[in-house]
Amino acid sequence: MLVELRGNNFDPWQEIQQFQNSHPELTGKFGATSVFVGTMRDFNDGKDVSSMFLEHYPEMTQKYLEDISTEASQKWSILDTLIIHRYGEIQPDDPIVLLVVWSAHRAQTIPACSYLIEELKMRAPFWKRETTKNQTRWVEKNTPV
């Protein structure tokens, strides 16, 4: 299980490959990899959005993400998880979050990956401030499922 909070941009596909290369114990063990990549849109609530600033409490956020990863491993038979989440200034099309779950079978990875993103959106302490054409505003609720 790896959880990383990053203030800089990342390539999700390169991160997956690097993780797999650095974990030889996974070789030959997984038959399924479920991936969720969340990226920034250039719109929200009917407004054009030019950028977003994502704030967090580092230790608290890290703990929440580790907790949900542990919970997923207790609910499903998975081999490993990877969570990378951005903070700071984010532009449209930038990846914000990468969630990866490895298991022997898809029946374990798919619900575990879904669980991770839903729990992250509900529980992880992040606060979004969006910049639109005419204002900067705090996002008060998460987008619908």
Side-chain angles (χ1 to χ4, degrees):
M1 171 181 80
L2 178 63
V3 171
E4 288 189 12
L5 296 166
R6 294 194 184 167
N8 58 328
N9 207 357
F10 64 90
D11 178 336
W13 313 112
Q14 185 177 36
E15 296 295 336
I16 294 166
Q17 191 62 56
Q18 287 176 347
F19 187 90
Q20 288 179 181
N21 290 345
S22 66
H23 289 79
E25 69 277 9
L26 290 174
T27 303
K29 303 290 186 255
F30 64 93
T33 306
S34 289
V35 176
F36 176 86
V37 178
T39 56
M40 187 189 154
R41 301 181 305 269
D42 66 357
F43 66 93
N44 191 27
D45 286 336
K47 303 265 185 185
D48 291 338
V49 177
S50 59
S51 67
M52 174 175 64
F53 193 86
L54 204 55
E55 293 191 16
H56 73 300
Y57 290 122
E59 294 82 12
M60 180 186 282
T61 306
Q62 180 80 27
K63 181 180 181 332
Y64 273 89
L65 297 179
E66 289 171 355
D67 286 351
I68 64 172
S69 189
T70 298
E71 290 166 13
S73 70
Q74 293 168 347
K75 292 176 179 279
W76 292 277
S77 180
I78 58 179
L79 299 168
D80 217 332
T81 59
L82 170 63
I83 300 174
I84 298 175
H85 204 296
R86 286 280 308 275
Y87 62 87
E89 188 74 24
I90 301 171
Q91 304 299 314
D93 297 324
D94 283 353
I96 300 171
V97 62
L98 169 65
L99 303 170
V100 188
V101 180
W102 290 269
S103 182
H105 304 285
R106 70 183 178 277
Q108 302 299 311
T109 63
I110 294 170
C113 194
S114 180
Y115 175 83
L116 287 173
I117 190 57
E118 295 309 322
E119 290 297 310
L120 183 153
K121 293 291 280 184
M122 288 189 314
R123 293 171 41 191
F126 287 104
W127 296 271
K128 298 177 191 176
R129 188 178 67 230
E130 295 177 334
T131 301
T132 65
K133 184 176 181 179
N134 299 320
Q135 68 180 357
T136 298
R137 63 184 184 175
W138 289 99
V139 177
E140 295 182 17
K141 61 182 175 23
N142 284 322
T143 53
V145 177

